Amino acid sequence: MKRKIAITLSAVLLGCFAAGELPDSNLSVDNANRITTVENPLTPAVAAAADKDDDKEKQSRFIYLFSDDGFNYYLDSVSSCRTTPPAGSEKLLDIWVKLLPIGLAPETEVLSGQTYYLQHYLLRPDREQIMFLSELEVDGRPDNNIKERPFDGRNWEKLVPGSLEDNIYRECIKYRSSLKKRGPKKKTTSKIGDVLEDTFRISL
């Protein structure tokens, strides 16, 4: 059997040299003596495909929302999430919006000599309200020392039709179902304790 395989491979190699072509280094012979090719993960074609997958992943992170006179607005679908307030179980959206000068690709992470903005908001879908948390002007790579105002229920704002906040809210709310849910999980014992305390005045 081994002799037959060796003869088969030799014939293939001789045929390649006779045709003036280099043999494929990814040839193999199966149990039926059939010549097959094996995909090499290091070949340029496979590497290019991997690069395309990486580009798609980067591009899918930023969702185009709208444009104004100087900027394109993108929702950062990785940093944004569904969440709840520090106290209570109300459903909120914690969103990051990236403002890029028109003409720059959203997947660009470091813009040398260019300025862009990151805006952080909380959205309140049940009451159609928005809370501004911070805005960061970035020149290059942002630093992780942003100062935000703490959560305060008095900072909820009603939407003014046609305002920037109204546009951000209306466009971001379309993607709430695709955002991941984050935040501490409530323990079952806490819920049971609340029921017992409210109903029977028993504290756990």
Side-chain angles (χ1 to χ4, degrees), residues 61-62 75-81 94-96 120 179 182:
R61 171 173 182 167
F62 299 100
L75 172 65
D76 187 337
S77 62
V78 174
S79 300
S80 303
C81 64
D94 184 339
I95 66 165
W96 284 90
H120 192 194
L179 299 179
R182 294 177 187 154

Side-chain angles (χ1 to χ4, degrees), residues 163-180:
S163 65
L164 175 62
E165 289 77 13
D166 182 52
N167 288 341
I168 290 175
Y169 177 92
R170 301 295 176 192
E171 293 301 320
C172 289
I173 206 73
K174 297 176 182 178
Y175 303 98
R176 60 179 170 179
S177 60
S178 62
L179 299 179
K180 294 182 179 180

Side-chain angles (χ1 to χ4, degrees), residues 48-66:
D51 290 340
K52 288 183 179 180
D53 291 339
D54 291 341
D55 291 340
K56 288 181 180 179
E57 184 177 353
K58 288 181 180 179
Q59 292 175 5
S60 63
R61 171 173 182 167
F62 299 100
I63 302 173
Y64 173 78
L65 299 176
F66 61 91

Side-chain angles (χ1 to χ4, degrees), residues 3 30-31 58 85 122 137 189 192:
R3 185 176 179 182
D30 59 16
N31 293 332
K58 288 181 180 179
L122 285 178
E137 183 176 358
T189 53
I192 295 176

Side-chain angles (χ1 to χ4, degrees), residues 48-112:
D51 290 340
K52 288 183 179 180
D53 291 339
D54 291 341
D55 291 340
K56 288 181 180 179
E57 184 177 353
K58 288 181 180 179
Q59 292 175 5
S60 63
R61 171 173 182 167
F62 299 100
I63 302 173
Y64 173 78
L65 299 176
F66 61 91
S67 302
D68 60 14
D69 293 338
F71 292 92
N72 290 327
Y73 291 72
Y74 297 90
L75 172 65
D76 187 337
S77 62
V78 174
S79 300
S80 303
C81 64
R82 292 176 290 154
T83 186
T84 55
S89 57
E90 186 177 9
K91 296 179 180 179
L92 305 177
L93 296 184
D94 184 339
I95 66 165
W96 284 90
V97 178
K98 191 172 187 178
L99 286 69
L100 282 175
I102 293 176
L104 293 178
E107 64 272 13
T108 304
E109 296 181 0
V110 180
L111 306 175
S112 178

Side-chain angles (χ1 to χ4, degrees), residues 79-202:
S79 300
S80 303
C81 64
R82 292 176 290 154
T83 186
T84 55
S89 57
E90 186 177 9
K91 296 179 180 179
L92 305 177
L93 296 184
D94 184 339
I95 66 165
W96 284 90
V97 178
K98 191 172 187 178
L99 286 69
L100 282 175
I102 293 176
L104 293 178
E107 64 272 13
T108 304
E109 296 181 0
V110 180
L111 306 175
S112 178
Q114 295 283 349
T115 299
Y116 67 98
Y117 297 89
L118 292 173
Q119 294 180 342
H120 192 194
Y121 295 93
L122 285 178
L123 307 186
R124 199 179 195 183
D126 291 344
R127 302 191 183 184
E128 292 197 345
Q129 293 178 330
I130 191 169
M131 182 187 296
F132 172 79
L133 296 178
S134 63
E135 180 179 78
L136 182 64
E137 183 176 358
V138 183
D139 182 6
R141 185 182 296 276
D143 295 325
N144 201 35
N145 59 354
I146 185 172
K147 294 182 179 179
E148 296 189 325
R149 62 180 183 179
F151 178 88
D152 189 335
R154 294 172 293 182
N155 291 332
W156 286 114
E157 301 174 6
K158 293 183 179 180
L159 299 171
V160 177
S163 65
L164 175 62
E165 289 77 13
D166 182 52
N167 288 341
I168 290 175
Y169 177 92
R170 301 295 176 192
E171 293 301 320
C172 289
I173 206 73
K174 297 176 182 178
Y175 303 98
R176 60 179 170 179
S177 60
S178 62
L179 299 179
K180 294 182 179 180
K181 186 175 182 180
R182 294 177 187 154
K185 295 183 179 179
K186 294 185 177 181
K187 296 181 180 180
T188 305
T189 53
S190 299
K191 295 181 180 179
I192 295 176
D194 293 340
V195 173
L196 291 175
E197 186 173 357
D198 294 340
T199 306
F200 303 104
R201 301 289 184 252
I202 299 175

